């Protein structure tokens, strides 16, 4: 396991109420233009900071597939899912490069705060491309290396959005948009193309 992988004993940090002030999920939902009925993969979902509001945004006709390599993290998410909302969230324990989903399974493949933890990002992108529909989108959100690290991983673990754009291009994605989001993060989007 990569030494960069998030320590599950620190999972409480992902749910600190103050986090909403510096990384508002609603701002991310707007930037992604999430639509009702969409099927979204949340890779590295952790305790569901994004998966739960995404499930509300896509509604009963949509679906969120929350994937994480650590079952302890998914267990914390499982406990938060209200029985009434459970119908549109599915939990899968898997590594980024070996996802137990058929091809062309999702409209949006989202990764938040996990990109810098993945040891083989090219393999993860190939897997994302496989599970995305032909017209699907990938969105990568991660920590800015150019702001003081009051939170998050050490500065030397952080990657630039430009490097994500280059890796997406090398994996065959079509370039999309790039912006900062919240106080400490960047968001890069690209399309799967055909
Ligand atoms: C820092 S947490 C972020 C959780 C959530 N996305 C958020 O922003 O609140 C990173 C999560 O990614 C998971 N993870 C790390 N490497 C992974 C990999 N290669 N495949 C799947 N999940 C991974 C970790 O177990 C952890 O739960």
């Amino acid at each position: 396991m990569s030494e960069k992988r998030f320590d599950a004993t620190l999972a409480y940090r992902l749910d600190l109420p103050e986090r909403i002030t510096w990384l508002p999920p609603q701002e991310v939902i707007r930037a992604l233009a999430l639509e009702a009925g969409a099927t979204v993969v949340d890779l590295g979902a952790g305790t569901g900071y994004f998966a739960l509001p995404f499930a509300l945004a896509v509604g009963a006709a949509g679906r969120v597939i929350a994937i994480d390599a650590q079952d302890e993290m998914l267990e914390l998410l499982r406990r938060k899912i209200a029985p009434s909302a459970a119908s549109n969230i599915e939990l899968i324990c898997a590594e980024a490069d070996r996802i137990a989903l058929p091809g062309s399974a999702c409209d949006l493949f989202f990764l938040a705060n996990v990109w810098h933890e993945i040891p083989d990002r090219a393999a993860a992108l190939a897997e994302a491309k496989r599970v995305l529909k032909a017209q699907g989108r990938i969105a990568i959100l991660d920590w800015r290396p150019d702001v003081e690290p009051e939170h998050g991983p050490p500065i030397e673990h952080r990657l630039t959005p430009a490097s994500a754009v280059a890796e997406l291009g090398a994996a065959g994605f079509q370039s999309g948009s790039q912006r900062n989001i919240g106080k400490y993060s960047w968001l890069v989007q690209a399309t799967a193309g055909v």
Side-chain angles (χ1 to χ4, degrees):
M1 188 170 74
S2 160
E3 106 280 352
K4 293 179 184 164
R5 181 163 293 178
F6 186 77
D7 178 353
T9 64
L10 302 177
Y12 71 93
R13 289 190 185 171
L14 301 174
D15 292 323
L16 290 175
E18 61 161 72
R19 194 176 179 214
I20 289 174
T21 64
W22 49 264
L23 185 56
Q26 292 306 325
E27 188 184 340
V28 175
I29 285 172
R30 277 195 300 277
L32 296 173
L34 260 195
E35 286 179 359
T39 296
V40 181
V41 163
D42 181 8
L43 190 278
T47 61
Y49 185 75
F50 289 104
L52 291 166
F54 282 9
L56 284 177
V58 300
R63 189 167 157 229
V64 173
I65 304 165
I67 301 176
D68 204 285
Q70 300 191 75
D71 208 28
E72 306 95 287
M73 302 298 285
L74 289 178
E75 185 49 38
L76 295 170
L77 169 52
R78 196 170 282 120
R79 288 185 211 156
K80 289 185 195 169
I81 300 174
S84 57
S87 59
N88 74 342
I89 304 192
E90 184 183 329
L91 276 50
I92 297 180
C93 188
E95 292 286 336
D97 57 356
R98 274 162 283 148
I99 298 173
L101 280 176
S104 306
C106 67
D107 302 293
L108 174 66
F109 194 100
F110 176 73
L111 307 92
N113 304 312
V114 62
W115 180 242
H116 68 278
E117 296 185 17
I118 297 174
D120 187 347
R121 291 189 295 277
L125 288 180
E127 189 65 341
K129 205 151 199 292
R130 184 186 70 77
V131 302
L132 269 168
K133 294 177 186 169
Q135 301 307 321
R137 263 185 307 149
I138 188 166
I140 305 175
L141 182 158
D142 217 314
W143 292 90
R144 288 171 60 182
D146 61 329
V147 285
E148 280 302 306
E150 296 165 48
H151 308 276
I155 209 99
E156 64 273 16
H157 287 186
R158 298 176 185 213
L159 301 166
T160 62
S163 70
V165 169
E167 289 179 57
L168 283 163
F173 287 88
Q174 312 296 312
S175 68
S177 63
Q178 179 184 324
R179 57 170 284 187
N180 290 331
I181 195 153
K183 195 170 170 193
Y184 306 105
S185 307
W186 51 259
L187 175 70
V188 165
Q189 298 190 62
T191 54
V194 277

